[in-house]
Amino acid sequence: MTTSVLVPDSLTREAEDRREATRKLGYVARAATVFRVDRLTVYPDPDGRGKWEDGFVETVLRYAATPPHLRKEMWGKRDELEYVGVLPPLRVRSQTGSGSEGSGSLRQGIVTEVGADGRVRVNCGMQHPISLPVPADMDVEAGERVTVRVSSRRPVRAKLVDAPTSGFDVVSADLDMALSRDDAGLTIASSRYGEPATTRRLGELAQRRDTEGGMTVAFGAPERGLPSILDVDPDAVGDQQHDETTGFDLWLNTVPNQGSEVVRTEEALFASLACLTLTE
């Protein structure tokens, strides 16, 4: 089952400075990690972009999703990453925590060199890059992220394995493309103008989510909710049948009794994913 989240590149438009914008994106990355999001897609909102450079949101989110021991190797120094020190640690289970250094643990690595003898050098957070043979059924290139199974650190015993990297992927795509993916599953627009998320409705949605093999949940930006971004009348958004105009299966209000005039996007992520990932 695949869980995807869509956020606009105007997500940080109201931030007063780059530090605050980076902190906000850290909360988004935390929500994606906590609720096991597989793919975080940044979609364009040309009319809502703020003062930050093109690609700022995607770059910071991709940095946040990179395991700490690979960040220096993969990113170096970039203007967009000036304040990444304020990002909260994600503590992805397969990267950190109890047992992460134990026998048979999986670690992410980056291929630093490809040799002619069927071996590669991989930086996976150990004291030095390690040389590993490439399995016959794998094809890797320099700069590629790979998964390494470490069975011993002293002496080093490790091997490349064909396993998905942990955490979430960050990609860039427009809304139509993201909603039309084969693995999009149930597509939900999070909006205060959607139908209220009641206990009965959430039970029905959990069944639909499981039947369709996952879900895609889209969010808007500060002062630019999805109706504004899509240029649709808030009072006309679909709430029961598939909304062919916007491509969503339904519009849902996951904070129906909000006490604040505005629910920030990062807050909406936690509220929405908390109830939409419930199991029966």
Side-chain angles (χ1 to χ4, degrees):
M1 188 169 69
T2 301
T3 301
S4 298
V5 165
L6 314 181
V7 294
D9 60 5
S10 56
L11 184 60
T12 58
R13 63 194 305 267
E14 92 297 2
E16 294 182 359
D17 53 39
R18 202 193 299 265
R19 178 189 293 270
E20 182 58 32
T22 302
R23 191 189 308 276
K24 181 185 184 77
L25 294 174
Y27 296 143
V28 172
R30 279 287 298 172
T33 302
V34 168
F35 296 104
R36 294 183 177 270
V37 169
D38 299 291
R39 183 172 52 251
L40 185 56
T41 299
V42 180
Y43 66 86
D45 176 23
D47 295 333
R49 286 182 185 148
K51 51 195 170 186
W52 315 119
E53 54 268 85
D54 289 348
F56 174 78
V57 170
E58 181 184 359
T59 297
V60 175
L61 288 175
R62 287 184 61 202
Y63 179 91
T66 303
H69 62 273
L70 298 180
R71 288 174 176 173
K72 183 177 180 180
E73 180 78 28
M74 293 186 65
W75 292 99
K77 291 186 177 181
R78 301 180 58 165
D79 290 343
E80 303 98 311
L81 305 178
E82 180 180 5
Y83 292 107
V84 291
V86 303
L87 291 172
L90 301 187
R91 299 187 64 82
V92 178
R93 277 194 169 184
S94 60
Q95 296 173 9
T96 60
S98 177
S100 65
E101 304 294 339
S103 176
S105 65
L106 295 179
R107 296 177 64 84
Q108 289 191 47
I110 181 172
V111 177
T112 59
E113 183 181 346
V114 177
D117 56 353
R119 301 181 70 89
V120 294
R121 292 184 68 80
V122 179
N123 177 359
C124 58
M126 305 183 78
Q127 187 173 4
H128 304 287
I130 56 178
S131 176
L132 299 172
V134 180
D137 57 348
M138 289 182 65
D139 183 20
V140 298
E141 300 177 351
E144 183 177 348
R145 286 169 65 176
V146 293
T147 301
V148 178
R149 184 179 297 279
V150 180
S151 55
S152 172
R153 294 179 64 91
R154 294 182 181 178
V156 175
R157 294 191 181 95
K159 64 179 180 179
L160 292 177
V161 294
D162 186 12
T165 55
S166 57
F168 57 91
D169 292 325
V170 179
V171 299
S172 177
D174 60 38
L175 272 175
D176 291 340
M177 182 180 299
L179 294 175
S180 62
R181 288 180 59 103
D182 292 338
D183 61 353
L186 177 66
T187 57
I188 300 172
S190 176
S191 171
R192 67 186 303 174
Y193 299 103
E195 62 172 305
T198 62
T199 53
R200 178 188 62 80
R201 191 69 173 111
L202 289 174
E204 296 172 351
L205 293 178
Q207 291 183 341
R208 288 185 62 183
R209 176 200 65 204
D210 295 344
T211 299
E212 299 190 27
M215 64 178 176
T216 296
V217 189
F219 298 85
E223 300 179 354
R224 279 183 64 78
L226 281 170
S228 297
I229 292 174
L230 296 170
D231 194 23
V232 297
D233 183 353
D235 296 326
V237 297
D239 62 353
Q240 296 296 332
Q241 303 300 322
H242 180 79
D243 187 347
E244 296 182 355
T245 303
T246 60
F248 292 104
D249 290 323
L250 75 154
W251 290 68
L252 190 67
N253 180 2
T254 55
V255 192
N257 297 312
Q258 66 186 65
S260 173
E261 292 183 1
V262 176
V263 175
R264 297 175 178 176
T265 304
E266 62 272 27
E267 296 169 338
L269 258 77
F270 278 98
S272 300
L273 294 176
C275 61
L276 290 173
T277 55
L278 291 173
T279 57
E280 293 189 86

